[in-house]
Amino acid sequence: MLGTIVNTCTILVGGAFGAIVREGIGDKYKSALFNALGLACLVLGVNAALPNMAKSEYPVLFILSLAIGGVVGTKLDLSGRIDRLNARLNAKSGKENNSINGLVTGILLYTIGTFSIVGPVLSCLSPSQGWALSEPGNTYLYTNATLDLVTSAVLSASYGWIMLLAAPALFCWQAMFYYIAYFFGEAMPEPMRVELSIVGGVLIVSSGLSILSIKDCKTVNLLPSLLVPVIWFSIKALFS
C-alpha cells in the first residue's frame, strides 16, 4: 500500500500548493490555466482511449456503455444535482466557480488509466513486498504520483481547496484494486481494464471539451457508463 499512500500524499501536497497560490493569480492567468487544463484533458483522454481500442475484444461495448450510462445518468439527473450544488456553493462564497465539476474532472484524471488500475495490483503481487521505497511493484504508482503532483497543483490553482477531496477518492479506488489482488489474485480480467480505460478516456475528453467551453457533454451524467463494463464481465464470468 506504500505506493498508494505516496500517490495520495502527492495529490494533497500538489493540491495544497495550487490552492495557496491561487489567490495570487490574476484572472487572465487563471484563464490560461483553464485552457491548459482543458487541452491536457483532451490529450490524456485520447491517450487512454485510443491505444486500448485496438486491444478491445468487444469494439462496440464502449458505445453501449456510454449510451446506457448516459441514459441512466440523465434519468437520475446527476448533472442537474451537481449544478444545483455548485449554485449553492457559489451563493455562499459569492464567487462563480464550477468547483464540483472540477472535482469530478480531477477524480477521473487521477483514477482512470493503467497506472492507477494496474499499479495497485502489481504493488500487491510484487514478489518483494514491503515498505521500501525501492520496491519494484510500486514503480507504476510512483510514476503516477509524479504526474498527479503536477496535475493536482494545476487543478487546485483553477478550482481551489475542494480539489483535495480527490485524494481520498484516489486512495479508496487504488485500495479496492489492491485488496482485490490480495484476496483473489489477478481477479480483474485484462479485457475489463481495457474497456474501463476506453470509457474513462472518453469521459476525460468530455471534461476537456467542457473546460474549453467547446461543448458541455454533461460528463457527470455519463459517469454510470463506468459500471457497464464491470456488470458485463461479471455476468460473463457467471456463465463461463
Side-chain angles (χ1 to χ4, degrees), residues 8 11-12 107 162-175:
T8 303
I11 291 176
L12 291 172
I107 291 173
I162 195 171
M163 295 308 304
L164 269 65
L165 295 177
L170 172 88
F171 182 85
C172 292
W173 173 264
Q174 292 189 0

Side-chain angles (χ1 to χ4, degrees), residues 2-240:
L2 179 60
T4 292
I5 293 172
V6 170
N7 199 167
T8 303
C9 289
T10 57
I11 291 176
L12 291 172
V13 171
F17 173 79
I20 290 171
V21 302
R22 180 173 184 265
E23 297 304 322
I25 299 177
D27 289 341
K28 65 177 180 180
Y29 297 109
K30 287 181 181 178
S31 177
L33 282 174
F34 274 110
N35 289 337
L37 180 59
L39 291 171
C41 284
L42 294 181
V43 173
L44 291 172
V46 170
N47 185 60
L50 287 186
N52 284 289
M53 289 182 70
K55 304 175 187 176
S56 176
E57 296 179 3
Y58 308 96
V60 299
L61 181 56
F62 86 96
I63 301 175
L64 289 174
S65 298
L66 291 168
I68 294 171
V71 169
V72 172
T74 301
K75 177 64 177 177
L76 296 174
D77 193 25
L78 297 180
S79 182
R81 295 172 191 268
I82 293 297
D83 289 342
R84 288 189 289 273
L85 180 57
N86 265 319
R88 287 198 293 269
L89 291 176
N90 290 338
K92 288 182 178 180
S93 65
K95 297 178 181 179
E96 187 70 25
N97 186 13
N98 203 15
S99 55
I100 303 297
N101 281 309
L103 179 60
V104 172
T105 298
I107 291 173
L108 285 171
L109 285 172
Y110 298 145
T111 58
I112 299 301
T114 300
F115 288 158
S116 207
I117 296 176
V118 178
V121 175
L122 293 180
S123 177
C124 178
L125 300 179
S126 171
S128 57
Q129 293 187 35
W131 289 86
L133 285 172
S134 60
E135 183 184 342
N138 282 324
T139 301
Y140 271 25
L141 293 178
Y142 293 152
T143 303
N144 201 50
T146 304
L147 296 172
D148 289 347
L149 178 67
V150 178
T151 304
S152 61
V154 174
L155 282 166
S156 291
S158 301
Y159 293 105
W161 289 99
I162 195 171
M163 295 308 304
L164 269 65
L165 295 177
L170 172 88
F171 182 85
C172 292
W173 173 264
Q174 292 189 0
M176 176 181 69
F177 289 112
Y178 182 93
Y179 284 107
I180 285 175
Y182 181 82
F183 289 110
F184 302 107
E186 297 185 46
M188 184 180 188
E190 176 65 12
M192 185 191 295
R193 186 200 67 77
V194 168
E195 299 301 331
L196 283 173
S197 295
I198 295 173
V199 175
V202 174
L203 297 188
I204 293 172
V205 169
S206 175
S207 293
L209 293 174
S210 178
I211 291 172
L212 292 171
S213 299
I214 295 175
K215 171 68 176 178
D216 183 5
C217 300
K218 298 190 181 300
T219 307
V220 177
N221 279 347
L222 295 172
L223 289 179
S225 303
L226 291 168
L227 295 175
V228 177
V230 176
I231 295 171
W232 166 263
F233 285 103
S234 297
I235 295 174
K236 185 174 180 290
L238 289 175
F239 293 97
S240 62

